[in-house]
Amino acid sequence: MLIETELTPNPATIKFLPGRAVMGAGTRDFATPEEAEASPLADALFGLGDVVGVFFGGDFISVTIAPGSEWRDVKPDVLATLLEHFSADMPLFATGSAAGIAVPVEAETFNDDPADAEIVEQIRELIDTRVRPAVANDGGDIVYRGFDKGTVYLKMQGACSGCPSSSATLKNGIEQLLKHYVPEVTEVRAV
């Protein structure tokens, strides 16, 4: 089995492509070792010591290492962990009842005003069709969190979270796109 790697705009994150589906649908972001306990693979990656973030995309895994860590030291262990997992066809998530898997509560979600339903629908459509595929290519994801008085709130995940160029992507790319197609948008903020 061959696992390809791609650099991302975030120097602390590498995108690993195992040549097969990772998540059937959706994405999953693990920002702490406690969150990673829901997945044997994420748990094993955090167990390497230098890993501080794991993100599962449709056909990739993004791994983020701690400041001060070097990819030349960590990459062989990450590849070995991924090879072992995928070669053995191990499950991505722990077995058991749904009650045993904790999905993090998203405290940074805003209640959209029902009067803005049409605007919110346009924003979500643009994010899903134009923005998310582009950031997935860089090993991350952007999730809609809310719209309030002209401001769109988005959460950066995977390689996008903590990336030095993420604020430029938000302001120069996503904000300009949304303002162009949805005149009611005045600003985009990360939460």
Side-chain angles (χ1 to χ4, degrees):
M1 172 177 202
L2 174 68
I3 295 179
E4 295 182 41
T5 61
E6 290 181 7
L7 298 177
T8 71
N10 184 347
T13 305
I14 290 183
K15 181 177 171 182
F16 295 85
L17 299 124
R20 63 173 67 175
V22 175
M23 292 282 292
T27 61
R28 181 70 191 266
D29 192 34
F30 301 95
T32 66
E34 292 75 27
E35 290 174 9
E37 290 173 3
S39 167
L41 178 56
D43 193 39
L45 290 168
F46 269 95
L48 296 175
D50 293 310
V51 173
V52 296
V54 176
F55 179 80
F56 295 157
D59 64 349
F60 66 89
I61 297 109
S62 291
V63 177
T64 303
I65 57 173
S69 298
E70 296 289 334
W71 269 113
R72 69 175 176 268
D73 301 327
V74 181
K75 190 174 176 183
D77 293 334
V78 170
L79 281 168
T81 301
L82 293 172
L83 278 168
E84 179 182 333
H85 179 86
F86 286 106
S87 295
D89 285 324
M90 295 170 65
L92 197 56
F93 293 98
T95 57
S97 71
I101 300 175
V103 176
V105 175
E106 296 297 344
E108 299 156 335
T109 299
F110 300 83
N111 291 325
D112 293 325
D113 184 339
D116 294 331
E118 190 174 309
I119 296 167
V120 169
E121 185 178 330
Q122 290 175 330
I123 293 167
R124 285 179 175 269
E125 172 81 17
L126 285 166
I127 291 168
D128 287 343
T129 60
R130 302 292 260 326
V131 178
R132 291 181 83 198
V135 296
N137 284 337
D138 288 336
D141 196 11
I142 294 183
V143 180
Y144 172 85
R145 286 289 174 243
F147 176 74
D148 184 42
K149 299 178 184 122
T151 302
V152 177
Y153 296 92
L154 302 173
K155 180 173 181 171
M156 312 290 269
Q157 296 181 323
C160 296
S161 179
C163 176
S165 63
S166 66
S167 55
T169 299
L170 273 178
K171 293 296 178 186
N172 299 332
I174 299 166
E175 183 174 276
Q176 295 306 315
L177 173 82
L178 292 178
K179 283 180 173 180
H180 177 77
Y181 288 104
V182 186
E184 294 83 357
V185 173
T186 58
E187 180 183 16
V188 174
R189 288 188 193 165
V191 293

